[in-house]
Amino acid sequence: MQKIRKAVIPAAGYGTRFLPATKATPKEMLPIVDKPTIQYIVEEALASGIEEILVVSGHGKRAIEDHFDSAPALEAELEKKGKLELLHEVQETADINIHYIRQRYMRGLGDAILCAKSFIGDEPFAVLLGDDVVYNPQKPALRQLIDIYDWTGGSVLGCQNVSEEKVSSYGIVAGEKTDNARLMRVLDMVEKPAREDAPSRLAVLGRYIIRPEIFSILATTKPGKGGEIQLTDALKVLAGREPVYAYDFEGERYDVGDKLGFLRATVEFALRRDDLGGAFRDYLKGLVTRI
């Protein structure tokens, strides 16, 4: 069975929910404390054993490429001032093996994945969506999915249960139980269903291991919900042809495509920092008593 070596990060969206901040800055570059959101995603991929990453970008996303590129003038200035720890961080970011391709037209997530076909070839691959940041210091969410793929040999969807009020925001899975309490075989999927039409509360949350057979399905998938080519629709077809699994991964997941979720991530990541956590916790306690 082929090793999962490659990952795709779709990053072509406009980020309209964060306007005007995203008018000239990619939403993927909005910082959680002092690190761009997309860097958390890339670091999760690397910590999971991924060797090559493809970012599917779009118009106005050059800042992503610049961030993961070398910066000779900045590096020289940091070295001159003796800021060696910061210098190491900047150089380490530039050493990551990242490729780029543009999604020329905004035709949905399925079309973005199809753009990666030549990069992936005939290998199974990972997909990480930038709107979902997962905190799990023991085992990254993507690594959990790779382990399930290594065990089952089938495509794996990273899922968690969401509230009834939130089902209309996600692809929702129906399936049958397996011997693993956190694992289901997928029987059906519905993209952003109304609450009364949702087959469960198990939502696909931005992490996937997908077999390469998905590309031939995506090539013939018609536009669906919102007039876009939906990855959910293609995965549903794939599940009718071969085993596809939904895994309830472990970790604290943040929807950073939502303003409240982004604020939660910022606060909680800051509280976990050795250099910020104590002082920031004291500030928050004082703030609560004043407001």
Side-chain angles (χ1 to χ4, degrees), residues 18 30 78 92 107 140 148 185 204 207-208 216 221 227 249 265:
F18 280 86
L30 296 178
L78 292 174
E92 193 174 51
R107 293 174 176 160
I148 292 296
R185 178 164 176 175
V204 184
R207 299 293 183 274
Y208 309 77
S216 61
T221 299
F249 64 84

Side-chain angles (χ1 to χ4, degrees), residues 75-249:
E75 292 171 25
E77 185 68 14
L78 292 174
E79 186 171 17
K80 178 182 175 181
K81 294 184 176 180
K83 297 182 178 181
L84 301 184
E85 187 173 337
L86 285 174
L87 174 63
H88 174 71
E89 287 187 30
V90 170
Q91 290 175 330
E92 193 174 51
T93 302
D95 288 339
I96 300 170
N97 189 14
I98 299 183
H99 308 263
Y100 301 90
I101 192 171
R102 277 200 172 190
Q103 183 181 13
R104 297 178 64 187
Y105 305 102
M106 298 298 100
R107 293 174 176 160
L109 178 57
D111 181 67
I113 300 305
L114 191 55
C115 290
K117 181 179 179 180
S118 60
F119 172 77
I120 296 299
D122 61 355
E123 300 181 38
F125 62 101
V127 175
L128 303 94
L129 303 189
D131 282 350
D132 292 287
V133 171
V134 182
Y135 177 76
N136 186 325
Q138 282 72 46
K139 182 184 282 190
L142 184 64
R143 183 69 248 178
Q144 296 174 48
L145 268 62
I146 291 174
D147 289 347
I148 292 296
Y149 171 80
D150 290 343
W151 178 48
T152 65
S155 298
V156 188
L157 318 180
C159 300
Q160 286 186 342
N161 283 296
V162 298
S163 65
E164 288 187 7
E165 293 75 20
K166 294 284 189 178
V167 293
S168 61
S169 299
Y170 301 100
I172 302 297
V173 171
E176 60 183 10
K177 295 180 180 179
T178 69
D179 293 337
N180 185 327
R182 306 189 75 90
L183 187 68
M184 296 176 63
R185 178 164 176 175
V186 174
L187 299 179
D188 193 15
M189 299 179 66
V190 184
E191 180 66 22
K192 298 180 180 179
R195 187 188 307 185
E196 60 272 17
D197 297 327
S200 73
R201 293 194 295 111
L202 193 62
V204 184
L205 298 179
R207 299 293 183 274
Y208 309 77
I209 303 297
I210 308 178
R211 288 174 51 80
E213 287 77 6
I214 196 69
F215 291 119
S216 61
I217 298 172
L218 283 169
T220 58
T221 299
K222 304 296 182 184
K225 193 93 173 182
E228 298 181 335
I229 297 174
Q230 298 291 346
L231 179 60
T232 299
D233 294 341
L235 288 169
K236 183 176 177 179
V237 173
L238 184 66
R241 298 179 181 178
E242 60 184 56
V244 174
Y245 298 92
Y247 183 71
D248 182 5
F249 64 84

